[in-house]
Amino acid sequence: MSTNVLRTTDGWWVVREERARRVETKAVTTAELLADRAAIREAAGSEDPGTPVADLVALPPVTTPCRVVAQMVNYRSHARDSGFTGEIPPTFFRKASGSVSGPHEPVVRPAHVRFLDYEVELGLVMGATLPVGTLVEERDLPRYVAGLVLTNDVSARDVQLTKTQFYESKSYPTFTPTGPYLALLEPEDFAHLLNLRLRLSVNGAARQDRTLADMIVRPAQALTLLARFQTLAPGDLLLTGTPGGTALKAPPKPAEKIAALLPPAWKWKAFFKGQAKNPRYLREGDLITATIATADGRIDLGEQRTPVTDAP
């Protein structure tokens, strides 16, 4: 069974049955914590009654600075929504680790952003160095991946599309809510990854709901592809893509063909005029709720509840 770890301003905690037991460690960063597994095991086996989880304020369990890498269009349902047909080439992009925020902190929409979108994603937290050139098989995942976190790849679509700029559009502060738990996995837990179900709702209305079985490039292959050019270190974070159901969707084919004939400025003006009628984009006062878990509770990454607010 996985072990859920929570981080607060007072340190690290192991969570079991809504109670938290303090991890007696000097670790400050996620990487340092992962190197002190003895302290985690001791806390997990403690008979101390602990502290109610509800009394603790969760910080992101992935500490920064770290590398934050993400996969683009990595679920079949998202590919359909995005208008892709045929084979989808594996694609990665980086996010600034300054975008990582707590699981209940507000998502802050910058004043110049009109079309703010959500993307629930499973995050892989590295537990060992992944050198360039590494070939990762399914059986190797426990060697490199320490655990999992729930993340939301918040996106400023007007910045992303008009500038073709993923880094900026996804890297504003609070654009990567993370946690509440870092679920540390046992080797046998990895066999259950495809049973993980990603769900996201806005103001109680379901928007995204898929299992990892919908994923195109699965974790072992993704790490192999990344290792062609990128070293990862303990505590680094890989976001593995989002299912369909985001606010942004590709326009119908006839409209897309007509738009292709327009000058770029006109094309984007027409596109965003249509998007302005889409009620699914995030607005101030919205509440995003997200979960990732297996149906049997073997792996449960907790629940995010992040309100949306506008920058002052």
Side-chain angles (χ1 to χ4, degrees):
M1 293 287 288
S2 59
T3 301
N4 279 351
V5 175
L6 184 76
R7 184 170 76 98
T8 71
T9 55
D10 295 327
W12 302 90
W13 308 73
V14 167
V15 174
R16 189 173 71 241
E17 296 177 354
E18 302 303 320
R19 308 288 294 189
R21 282 83 178 172
R22 186 183 296 277
V23 179
E24 298 298 339
T25 179
K26 294 181 180 179
V28 175
T29 68
T30 302
E32 291 169 347
L33 177 74
L34 295 175
D36 195 1
R37 291 299 186 97
I40 297 172
R41 287 193 293 269
E42 184 176 346
S46 172
E47 296 301 323
D48 186 286
T51 300
V53 173
D55 292 347
L56 301 175
V57 178
L59 299 176
V62 175
T63 56
T64 56
C66 67
R67 294 182 185 90
V68 181
V69 185
Q71 292 176 256
M72 184 182 79
V73 191
N74 195 37
Y75 281 71
R76 294 175 183 86
S77 54
H78 191 207
R80 288 192 297 270
D81 283 357
S82 302
F84 286 90
T85 58
E87 186 176 351
I88 310 298
T91 305
F92 300 92
F93 58 91
R94 289 286 293 270
K95 295 188 68 161
S97 65
S99 67
V100 173
S101 56
H104 308 303
E105 291 182 47
V107 172
V108 180
R109 182 177 68 92
H112 64 281
V113 172
R114 294 180 61 201
F115 301 102
L116 191 67
D117 210 347
Y118 49 84
E119 296 187 11
V120 62
E121 305 206 9
L122 176 69
L124 308 183
V125 179
M126 302 304 294
T129 299
L130 181 76
V132 169
T134 303
L135 175 63
V136 182
E137 304 284 354
E138 292 289 337
R139 64 177 180 271
D140 301 322
L141 280 174
R143 183 187 309 174
Y144 297 107
V145 176
L148 311 174
V149 289
L150 165 60
T151 68
N152 184 356
D153 178 23
V154 179
S155 306
R157 297 300 193 191
D158 33 356
V159 175
Q160 176 186 343
L161 296 175
T162 58
K163 294 185 176 183
T164 61
Q165 177 54 271
F166 278 71
Y167 187 70
E168 178 183 347
S169 67
K170 294 169 174 282
S171 289
Y172 295 103
T174 73
F175 271 31
T176 315
T178 302
Y181 300 138
L182 166 59
L184 300 177
L185 303 185
E186 299 297 330
E188 58 270 21
D189 292 324
F190 286 85
H192 300 267
L193 291 186
L194 295 187
N195 297 326
L196 285 166
R197 187 173 182 179
L198 290 72
R199 294 177 174 176
L200 182 142
S201 64
V202 178
N203 302 328
R207 298 287 181 86
Q208 296 181 277
D209 188 351
R210 286 290 192 283
T211 68
L212 259 65
D214 190 35
M215 189 179 275
I216 299 170
V217 176
R218 295 177 180 176
Q221 183 185 0
L223 292 175
T224 296
L225 293 170
L226 263 180
R228 293 183 303 182
F229 61 90
Q230 170 77 76
T231 295
L232 294 177
D236 286 345
L237 178 61
L238 171 62
L239 278 58
T240 56
T242 196
T246 60
L248 178 67
K249 287 182 173 56
K253 289 299 180 184
E256 188 176 344
K257 290 179 180 178
I258 293 171
L261 303 175
L262 299 174
W266 291 12
K267 176 181 71 174
W268 289 122
K269 184 177 180 180
F271 177 77
F272 285 116
K273 183 179 180 181
Q275 291 297 297
K277 302 173 184 176
N278 183 345
R280 296 170 70 89
Y281 286 106
L282 298 170
R283 293 171 172 79
E284 185 170 40
D286 285 345
L287 178 66
I288 310 165
T289 304
T291 60
I292 299 178
T294 58
D296 61 4
R298 183 187 185 101
I299 305 172
D300 188 340
L301 308 186
E303 181 183 68
Q304 282 188 10
R305 294 177 63 82
T306 47
V308 179
T309 186
D310 288 346

